[in-house]
Amino acid sequence: MDGGRFRVHSDEVTKATHEALERRGVTNEDIAKIVLDMQLPFNEGLTIEHCMESVESVLRKREMQHALLVGIELDELAEQGKLSRPLQQIVGADEGLFGVDEMIGLGAVLTYGSIAVTTFGHLDKNKTGIIHKLDTKYGGQVHTFLDDLVASVAACASARIAHRTRDLEEQGRTFEDLAPGETTPETHVEGAET
């Protein structure tokens, strides 16, 4: 070990996160469709492009990247039968009393406030969009962690839009007045990335 001096560059972690999602068949648009479905009733002029920008912003957060990389790796190892017993059987079957997958997803939403937490709970229960597909067992694939992590990303992206909605209301504006790259109040603030 190097005593903690070595750090993996953000670009490498971001690239690995996107590659892992792609490898598992999840696109930003899949997640953005959930966000649009959740937020459109409350946001005049909201588009899939606004939602895609919000999803991408969430995917730039280290906490979310780390959660996705760990969860996807565990799912893939379970598919290959490489986890030790009894964890292999628990993860492979996505046992109902195994809550570690939800806890990782829940932990990743905490930086986006209570609205993200409640939205995560709603998505975890209702399994809409790609989350339903991931939760459905087919073809020997294991998505024990990924379905909850996708719900986490969607919940965070939805929360970002909800918070932005409030800012817009106070300005007498709607999402119709914003380009997708202006979805968040911190857009174009020097040094702010999410």
Side-chain angles (χ1 to χ4, degrees):
M1 295 294 300
D2 63 4
R5 291 179 296 220
F6 176 77
R7 295 184 184 170
V8 179
H9 195 279
S10 295
D11 291 343
E12 184 178 347
V13 179
T14 300
K15 182 177 185 253
T17 302
H18 282 92
E19 288 172 350
L21 285 168
E22 183 179 320
R23 198 169 58 242
R24 303 306 286 174
V26 177
T27 67
N28 286 10
E29 187 171 2
D30 292 329
I31 302 170
K33 286 176 182 176
I34 297 168
V35 176
L36 184 63
D37 184 55
M38 299 281 301
Q39 289 297 315
L40 189 59
F42 312 105
N43 294 288
E44 184 180 333
L46 186 69
T47 66
I48 191 71
E49 290 80 14
H50 291 115
C51 297
M52 293 273 292
E53 189 282 332
S54 192
V55 167
E56 184 55 38
S57 185
V58 169
L59 290 174
R60 286 192 302 263
K61 295 288 266 183
R62 278 287 181 127
E63 295 90 344
M64 188 61 72
Q65 292 171 342
H66 293 165
L68 283 161
L69 291 173
V70 168
I72 290 170
E73 183 91 5
L74 287 168
D75 283 345
E76 290 175 335
L77 289 171
E79 279 180 11
Q80 299 164 22
K82 292 186 176 178
L83 298 176
S84 61
R85 290 183 58 91
L87 188 59
Q88 175 64 46
Q89 289 75 17
I90 294 168
V91 173
D94 195 3
E95 284 193 16
L97 293 178
F98 181 72
V100 176
D101 48 337
E102 282 89 3
M103 292 309 297
I104 291 175
L106 179 60
V109 302
L110 294 177
T111 59
Y112 286 93
S114 60
I115 191 167
V117 173
T118 57
T119 302
F120 172 75
H122 169 79
L123 292 172
D124 182 48
K125 179 178 172 144
N126 293 297
K127 312 253 187 246
T128 61
I130 187 80
I131 300 166
H132 174 73
K133 180 181 175 188
L134 294 170
D135 188 56
T136 305
K137 314 293 182 271
Y138 64 95
Q141 291 186 311
V142 175
H143 298 299
T144 299
F145 289 89
L146 186 57
D147 65 325
D148 296 302
L149 291 166
V150 168
S152 182
V153 174
C156 291
S158 292
R160 291 176 83 252
I161 288 172
H163 285 284
R164 185 61 170 138
T165 300
R166 180 64 175 268
D167 297 336
L168 290 171
E169 286 172 356
E170 291 174 358
Q171 298 166 7
R173 300 167 70 204
T174 70
F175 274 93
E176 286 181 322
D177 303 315
L178 294 182
E182 299 172 325
T183 299
T184 59
E186 63 272 12
T187 300
H188 307 297
V189 175
E190 190 175 326
E193 294 185 24
T194 61

